[in-house]
Amino acid sequence: KEMVQQTPMETLMRRSIHPRPLTGLLLLGTALALAACASNDDPDLPTLSAATPGTLQSCTDLATKATSANTTIASSTLVAAGALTVTGVTTPMPEHCLVKGEMNRRTSAVDGKSYAIGFEMRLPTAWNGRYFYQANGGIDGSVVTATGPTSGGAPVSNALQMGFAVLSSDAGHSGPPWWGLDPQARLDYGYQAVGSLTPMAKNLIKVAYGKAPDRSYFGGCSNGGRHAMIAAARYSDQYDGILAGAPGFHLPKAATAQLWKVQQYASIASGTVTTGADAGQPDITTAVTPAEFKLLGERIVAKCDALDAATDGIVADIKACQGAFNIKTDVATCSGARDGTCLTDAQKTVLGNIFAGAKNSKGESTYSNFYYDPGVAGSNYAAWHYGNSTALDPGAVAFIFTTPPSTQAAFLATTGLKYGLAFNMDTDYPKIFATDAVYKESPWSYMTPPNETDLSALKNRGAKLLVYHGAADPIFSAADTTRWYDALQAANNGAATAFARYFMVPGMNHCSGGPATDQFDMLTNLVNWVEKAQAPDQVVAKVRGTGANVVNTELPSSWSATRSRPLCAYPTVARYKGSGDLENAANFSCQ
């Protein structure tokens, strides 16, 4: 049997660049959830018809039968039911056809290296008539097993198991981020690989089943969420339902903000690195210890827990908490040694700066603020601020988000920590918006939706967009996503809920984890909205306590192992009804 781990997306970015320990998991997940559904908000918008099933008619001969321009199918093999297993998913994967190939093979005129868009598709024998584009995370660079995760942490099902035909790709490159030297590789990663793969995949499906997909879906988390937001703007004519998790749709800004955080933490580091190439440099992991992050989370709970009418360790009213909590006055100030029961004035200043968002020397904002949320105590939080900020972001910024990019020699002559400490928000940050004679489209242009609040094409054809985001995401700010949704509402006269809905997940870190009900299934809700006009007002989410398919070890011991909560369509908040078991979602309503 082939055993597939649900691959942490950060691992796709590592590629041996200034190795440092990485502990944060970035999982695309699926899970248990059902929505309380309402009718479509706007009866004038079309409702798309439901997909109809089909049966695989062709597999091992697809290399010769399914021809598309600039495409080579290397293999097409039938995989027996149960031969593919996925961590945490107990239901066997069905019999399916595995197709592997590549598109647009070329040699770069800039760096002389060979490039292609690698892909795989998994086509179930018993097909539900739907196609799912699996948008992957990190900086892509690897053809992850095409199972089609549906969202949240520790999946219990996936699109393949549900009967979707699923595509996964490497977005046109592999290896360390030096591929950012090639202008076309940048564009493929940004958005053009999706444009190339989509018609190829639909043609392959048509040949394999004798008909094209009735409905097409697109989904991913993190960079996959960024891909989804771009698909909503650029490829809305090709996809009927789009699922964007923790969308890094302002990724170049978020990556530079990570380097700014390195500098902030370095300013209060209590120790130095003692070995290796960074010896003598500030050890940023000493700036705020795990015990101190835990203290901060506890003080946020103490101040904000009851704002949603339930004292349960979950801060559901995230926005109200931002006005209620004050790090200067609500956390004890150290009068002596740091012992995990207090924060120093310097720590409070730095943490206050980080939550307020990155700025240049003039005090101008360069990226969003972040929410105060109990999830700051999650290990994923510190992993992104300490490990990934020096192991992943320097390479991405230097080669993919800067014009012109760094040279490989110059980059390898330093370290990720030193690169972050030297990054200049006044002179280096503007390079994410730059172009030149070789790199004619700026990183900001190819990495972001062209007009993120104009989704009229998606809306008018009856397609739908679901967005979810952990309130304690340490890399892509949920506050940034909230501002986008507010702007989308304004651009649509307050009626964006007819085609786009946004769900915040209290306590959740980046895509999963933290003290949160992080197990839920957004894909089923999206299909029901697209094909049945059942707009989700809430999605029921569960914790991953003892007995779960994959246990979340960061859950408070006072929580039930089966706690559930409704995730509410923004701006509504899950509030306790006043009676009944606090561990049961049925006793909460979205208000």
Side-chain angles (χ1 to χ4, degrees):
K1 291 186 177 181
E2 179 186 359
M3 183 65 175
V4 177
Q5 298 283 338
Q6 289 293 321
T7 308
M9 292 186 184
E10 298 98 305
T11 61
L12 305 184
M13 297 178 70
R14 294 177 193 177
R15 306 300 177 191
S16 303
I17 312 159
H18 305 310
R20 288 174 63 92
L22 282 177
T23 58
L25 289 181
L26 177 55
L27 295 177
L28 280 179
T30 61
L32 305 171
L34 291 172
C37 297
S39 60
N40 219 327
D41 280 358
D42 188 345
D44 294 329
L45 294 181
T47 297
L48 300 177
S49 59
T52 58
T55 301
L56 190 68
Q57 299 177 1
S58 182
C59 177
T60 56
D61 57 352
L62 286 174
T64 55
K65 292 178 65 175
T67 57
S68 293
N70 303 313
T71 302
T72 300
I73 295 178
S75 64
S76 55
T77 56
L78 194 64
V79 179
L84 172 68
T85 58
V86 179
T87 301
V89 180
T90 57
T91 305
M93 293 300 104
E95 180 181 83
H96 62 275
C97 183
L98 171 60
V99 180
K100 295 185 177 184
E102 66 174 32
M103 297 189 72
N104 303 344
R105 171 65 62 179
R106 61 188 174 81
T107 299
S108 170
V110 176
D111 66 5
K113 295 182 179 179
S114 181
Y115 291 89
I117 303 172
F119 68 86
E120 78 168 39
M121 289 192 71
R122 292 181 184 260
L123 313 171
T125 300
W127 180 47
N128 65 11
R130 302 179 180 98
Y131 156 57
F132 186 88
Y133 188 112
Q134 176 179 311
N136 294 313
I139 57 171
D140 285 286
S142 175
V143 182
V144 179
T145 304
T147 57
T150 64
S151 58
V156 297
S157 183
N158 54 46
L160 178 62
Q161 190 272 326
M162 295 175 180
F164 287 74
V166 184
L167 168 80
S168 171
S169 89
D170 60 13
H173 60 267
S174 62
W178 340 133
W179 56 261
L181 294 168
D182 179 68
Q184 184 59 48
R186 288 178 161 207
L187 298 179
D188 283 339
Y189 172 58
Y191 65 95
Q192 290 187 9
V194 174
S196 294
L197 288 163
T198 298
M200 181 281 299
K202 290 188 176 184
N203 176 66
L204 184 63
I205 289 171
K206 184 176 182 179
V207 174
Y209 294 105
K211 72 166 189 172
D214 297 312
R215 293 287 158 251
S216 297
Y217 293 84
F218 193 109
C221 196
S222 187
N223 175 61
R226 178 195 69 83
H227 279 303
M229 295 290 273
I230 289 178
R234 290 186 182 271
Y235 302 114
S236 60
D237 61 327
Q238 295 295 312
Y239 290 93
D240 306 307
I242 295 173
L243 176 59
F249 60 109
H250 295 154
L251 181 50
K253 287 186 177 182
T256 56
Q258 286 282 90
L259 305 181
W260 177 86
K261 291 172 194 172
V262 168
Q263 299 168 14
Q264 290 289 309
Y265 284 126
S267 72
I268 57 169
S270 61
T272 59
V273 180
T274 59
T275 60
D278 283 327
Q281 297 296 319
D283 181 357
I284 62 173
T285 66
T286 64
V288 182
T289 66
E292 290 165 337
F293 273 122
K294 180 181 179 182
L295 169 69
L296 178 58
E298 290 172 346
R299 299 316 302 159
I300 294 170
V301 169
K303 191 72 175 183
C304 300
D305 191 2
L307 294 174
D308 55 21
T311 303
D312 57 358
I314 292 179
V315 176
D317 198 339
I318 301 296
K319 296 192 78 172
C321 183
Q322 306 317 299
F325 179 77
N326 185 318
I327 192 171
K328 292 289 188 181
T329 58
D330 291 326
V331 181
T333 303
C334 296
S335 57
R338 290 167 51 188
D339 61 1
T341 65
C342 57
L343 295 176
T344 67
D345 282 326
Q347 286 177 306
K348 289 183 179 183
T349 296
V350 164
L351 285 168
N353 291 343
I354 287 171
F355 280 98
K359 294 177 174 59
N360 61 21
S361 66
K362 297 178 182 178
E364 298 166 333
S365 175
T366 59
Y367 185 52
S368 174
N369 66 302
F370 287 78
Y371 287 137
Y372 285 105
D373 178 277
V376 299
S379 61
N380 179 273
Y381 203 90
W384 275 100
H385 283 204
Y386 291 160
N388 298 355
S389 63
T390 57
L392 309 183
D393 295 293
V397 170
F399 290 94
I400 308 168
F401 307 145
T402 292
T403 299
S406 171
T407 65
Q408 188 173 337
F411 186 75
L412 292 177
T414 186
T415 69
L417 175 60
K418 291 175 183 176
Y419 184 93
L421 292 172
F423 191 81
N424 190 306
M425 294 300 288
D426 294 333
T427 59
D428 294 328
Y429 168 81
K431 295 175 183 177
I432 69 177
F433 306 101
T435 62
D436 64 18
V438 176
Y439 305 95
K440 298 179 181 179
E441 190 167 352
S442 74
W444 183 253
S445 175
Y446 63 71
M447 289 297 293
T448 62
N451 187 339
E452 61 192 38
T453 60
D454 181 6
L455 299 180
S456 55
L458 178 144
K459 175 182 72 173
N460 292 335
R461 61 179 296 268
K464 309 299 181 188
L465 169 65
L466 283 186
V467 180
Y468 68 93
H469 208 147
D473 191 317
I475 170 67
F476 299 135
S477 166
D480 192 39
T481 302
T482 301
R483 260 190 302 277
W484 160 79
Y485 192 77
D486 287 341
L488 183 70
Q489 281 280 52
N492 287 273
N493 300 313
T497 54
F499 64 92
R501 297 199 175 192
Y502 168 42
F503 295 82
M504 265 197 287
V505 188
M508 191 171 83
N509 290 150
H510 188 50
C511 293
S512 66
T517 53
D518 71 342
Q519 191 172 75
F520 48 88
D521 173 6
M522 288 285 178
L523 180 57
T524 297
N525 289 280
L526 181 59
V527 171
N528 288 340
W529 194 12
V530 169
E531 301 181 25
K532 299 179 182 179
Q534 295 176 347
D537 295 325
Q538 67 175 31
V539 174
V540 175
K542 295 186 175 183
V543 299
R544 294 181 284 120
T546 302
N549 60 329
V550 179
V551 174
N552 177 2
T553 60
E554 295 186 328
L555 295 174
S557 59
S558 60
W559 292 14
S560 163
T562 58
R563 170 177 283 196
S564 61
R565 286 289 184 277
L567 305 178
C568 298
Y570 175 84
T572 63
V573 171
R575 300 189 186 280
Y576 184 50
K577 294 178 180 179
S579 63
D581 185 3
L582 278 172
E583 304 301 327
N584 192 332
N587 298 314
F588 292 76
S589 62
C590 294
Q591 302 173 26

